[in-house]
Amino acid sequence: MAQMNLLQAINNALDIAMAEDDSTLCFGEDVGHFGGVFRATSGLQEKYGKARCFNTPLVEQGIMGFANGLAAQGSRPIAEIQFADYIFPAFDQIVNETAKFRYRSGNQFDVGRLTIRTPYGGGIAGGLYHSQSPEAYFAHTPGLKVVVPRNPYQAKGLLLASIRDDNPVIFFEPKRLYRASIGEVPEDDYQLPIGKAEVVTQGNDISLLAWGAQMEMIEKAAEMAAADGISCEIIDLRSILPWDVETIANSVMKTGRLLISHEAPLTSGFAGEIAATIQNECFLHLESPIARVCGADTPYPLSLEREHMADHLKIYEAIKRSVNY
Amino acid sequence: MNTDIYKEGQVVHSPTFIDGHSVDIPILKVLKQDGSVYEGAQLPELEKEHAQKVYRSFVFHRVLDERMIAAQRQGRISFYMTALGEEATTVGGAAALADQDMIMAQYREQGCLIYRGFSLEDFMNQMFSNEKDLGKGRQMPIHYGSNELNYMTISSPLGTQIPQAAGYAYGQKLQGKDAITMCYFGEGAASEGDFHAGLNMAAVHKAPVIFFCRNNGYAISTPSDEQYVGNGIASRGVGYGIKTLRIDGNDILAVMNAVQTARKYALEQSEPVIIEAMSYRLGAHSTSDDPSGYRTKEEEAKWEEHDPVSRYKAWLLTQNWWDEEQDKALYEQYREQVLAAVKVAEKIAKPPVEDLVTDVYDEVPTHLQKQLDELKEHINKYPDAYPFTAGRF
């Protein structure tokens, strides 16, 4: 075990993946010698050479097209998009190409070896284009897997699983926690399962569900609720697509209440999908409407960031409304 | 850091424009329309047997296009696209490559597959989207793919294969493969952002890829002078620092010579090459298009005189490698075979209902399995509404 922050855990996972397979490549804007603007790929070019860890021209659709080609060829590309806000130029490559490669060819060709890493999320004074959480756009795309870790231990285990998964995975990294989240991480190889949620804290009165950096918010709100005598069950979804209906449904059947929180805007956010499904699975067990505490339906603002965010106070109020319904 | 650009070159002291058309690009021509060779023209490496195979591919292509257009008109298949007039770019391209080279094409390149031996049955099964289709009946007709023949499955979004080809070729290089990637696209697709992305990525990362542009004058109804005002597509290659070649796309000996040379260069130097083949789309864009709405019969007639198939045949005749009797017999043989294959393919069942959910992922995930189970229950309740799948599970 070692103390690592979230970036170090990611760097460590990339190191392990590159060491075990010569065809594993890391590339993107400023990923090479400089090691990435957040330093996630620090030291990898020195260790594995310029051919396997390199800068690309500044063109997201090119990075993703190049990555699709490499993956189809049999290499194992780990492509970085500098900020999730800038993944949209590559949306066509990801949605029309990456996601449909295996299906459309009748499994003659696939890009299952591809992993896309990208920092996402707000709370860092990033304004409109350094704060977005675009997971719901991709959750609407069959063929992709979408994964979001919440701490260094999760980040390493889920990233290694994503790299080795035989399907393309978009790995959203909570950049607010890159250096802020520090924890014990095994130095050895390990994997955490994709598609499985984790019940972080058992509780009886209400289930709270979030992912990534938003886990901190629901944990904080749950502490406040606990002081009021409300017992919250806290769940980290971890995988957005495919997502773990069973774990969430089991929890809701026990508590009778569900609150889902995410950073992204409310309308058509992934909480809507979860709410609709759980309402269907747990209709007779629900004692209050499913609550969604999400970002406002606005672009991500700079000076009114706090007002926009689904912070712990907004979640705390929603917990009380649900329990007192 | 490359700072040469700041140090070298002529210095001026008043704004002096370089003309947008100052790059003069010669066009490679080997074969005249009467089958004779231009004086001093360099011929590609081509033995008699190989030359005949190339011609048989030409004829098969013509027959397939002719018969399948008719089949679409009769409502037997939903859609078709011919490559009339452009067959030299694909048959010649494939004939100049090695079998292990990957071909990543747009959609008008069935000539490559014909040359590489994609079977008549495989063509038919794809177009009739039946259960024997290698693509499991999921894509529209002419979206072929063959892992065995190193022909990447076609997708409809234009230009997406261009940066993919750069990545594919980079992977081939890194793994020390004796292979390159050939990437076809039209001059319309070259307006997509992915063209810029792919060429720049390939140049910077030194990927052994041949970018092959079929400049046939039209993107559906849009003539090329509404597509760009520069010196075609080839001039852009120079801007990306890529070795550039323009050829007569109706001259298969020029195509083969260019691709043989480009392949050698790409493989040995590990660098990309761009080839722009000037041609003309003699047929409609697709069975959903009628070109009479945007161009004249006179224009088409002018280009019919440049027909690549008759030009090559004329050359074969001068070599004494072909005769008219053989020619007639070959057309007849292929017409019969294609007609027979249509009749077989249209009777083969559609894919089983399971193929709706397989291959979305490597394994069918829980939520998709659930959707399949519910669908089967539904089909059992309304079998008449789902005649292809009812009673088959």
Side-chain angles (χ1 to χ4, degrees), chain B residues 106-389:
Chain B
Q106 182 166 299
Y107 49 58
R108 216 182 292 284
E109 291 88 358
Q110 56 264 50
C112 298
L113 274 175
I114 292 168
Y115 178 83
R116 285 195 168 177
F118 199 59
S119 74
L120 179 53
E121 290 72 26
D122 282 337
F123 274 111
M124 290 301 149
N125 295 335
Q126 200 285 330
M127 283 185 274
F128 284 89
S129 36
N130 61 35
E131 68 176 359
K132 289 190 173 171
D133 169 27
L134 294 172
K136 304 187 186 173
R138 289 168 181 150
Q139 292 212 78
M140 285 172 75
I142 66 99
H143 290 58
Y144 308 111
S146 171
N147 189 308
E148 194 193 335
L149 298 179
N150 292 312
Y151 188 88
M152 182 61 72
T153 301
I154 301 297
S155 73
S156 306
L158 284 182
T160 48
Q161 79 279 19
I162 304 174
Q164 290 171 13
Y168 201 99
Y170 185 82
Q172 289 170 316
K173 176 177 91 166
L174 213 63
Q175 291 171 13
K177 307 256 191 223
D178 176 29
I180 64 148
T181 298
M182 175 86 145
C183 178
Y184 282 100
F185 51 90
E187 90 288 348
S191 294
E192 293 283 0
D194 272 348
F195 169 87
H196 157 71
L199 266 74
N200 199 37
M201 291 289 279
V204 169
H205 297 301
K206 300 192 183 306
V209 51
I210 301 175
F211 296 109
F212 192 112
C213 178
R214 296 178 293 98
N215 189 338
N216 64 15
Y218 287 91
I220 306 186
S221 74
T222 304
S224 56
D225 61 3
E226 292 173 28
Q227 200 67 245
Y228 55 78
V229 295
N231 188 349
I233 307 303
S235 65
R236 300 179 197 169
V238 179
Y240 290 109
I242 294 179
K243 284 269 188 295
T244 299
L245 203 57
R246 175 175 285 157
I247 62 175
D248 181 343
N250 287 23
D251 174 351
I252 193 165
L253 297 186
V255 174
M256 290 180 71
N257 196 351
V259 174
Q260 280 173 358
T261 310
R263 180 183 193 273
K264 194 163 182 285
Y265 177 82
L267 198 59
E268 285 171 7
Q269 304 301 313
S270 190
E271 279 191 22
V273 177
I274 181 165
I275 298 172
E276 181 183 26
M278 310 311 288
S279 185
Y280 187 81
R281 195 197 74 216
L282 267 180
H285 164 69
S286 72
T287 48
S288 309
D289 170 51
D290 174 12
S292 70
Y294 52 83
R295 69 187 191 191
T296 63
K297 287 274 169 217
E298 291 72 37
E299 183 185 299
E300 290 174 9
K302 195 191 98 191
W303 276 93
E304 275 166 17
E305 291 169 16
H306 297 280
D307 178 33
V309 177
S310 58
R311 190 186 304 186
Y312 182 59
K313 183 179 141 188
W315 180 73
L316 287 180
L317 295 175
T318 66
Q319 304 297 109
N320 289 321
W321 285 356
W322 200 248
D323 62 51
E324 292 293 354
E325 209 167 298
Q326 272 176 296
D327 204 54
K328 205 172 153 233
L330 189 65
Y331 272 97
E332 271 173 29
Q333 181 199 333
Y334 283 159
R335 281 185 181 128
E336 278 170 27
Q337 284 175 356
V338 171
L339 269 179
V342 165
K343 284 176 187 160
V344 171
E346 65 188 356
K347 290 196 182 74
I348 297 173
K350 297 291 176 205
V353 69
E354 285 79 9
D355 280 355
L356 178 70
V357 301
T358 54
D359 306 330
V360 178
Y361 297 92
D362 61 336
E363 290 167 0
V364 179
T366 319
H367 68 285
L368 263 183
Q369 186 59 48
K370 193 175 164 216
Q371 289 173 22
L372 176 66
D373 294 342
E374 286 168 4
L375 175 62
K376 284 179 171 178
E377 229 181 284
H378 175 79
I379 291 172
N380 281 335
K381 198 169 175 188
Y382 297 98
D384 295 348
Y386 308 95
F388 296 145
T389 48

Side-chain angles (χ1 to χ4, degrees), chain A residues 96-176:
Chain A
N96 274 331
E97 299 292 317
T98 305
K100 298 171 175 59
F101 226 93
R102 189 192 300 270
Y103 191 74
R104 73 187 185 199
S105 71
N107 203 24
Q108 291 195 86
F109 298 99
D110 70 82
V111 294
R113 292 176 183 82
L114 170 62
T115 305
I116 305 164
R117 294 178 38 244
T118 188
Y120 87 97
I124 57 146
L128 276 77
Y129 305 112
H130 299 82
S131 306
Q132 293 181 65
S133 299
E135 67 272 12
Y137 291 102
F138 298 100
H140 195 58
T141 306
L144 299 177
K145 291 192 177 182
V146 179
V147 174
V148 193
R150 75 170 187 279
N151 62 29
Y153 174 74
Q154 300 266 321
K156 179 176 172 182
L158 285 170
L159 182 54
L160 279 168
S162 299
I163 293 166
R164 292 163 182 159
D165 195 279
D166 281 333
N167 298 283
V169 181
I170 306 185
F171 191 80
F172 286 107
E173 299 168 1
K175 62 179 168 298
R176 184 163 63 80

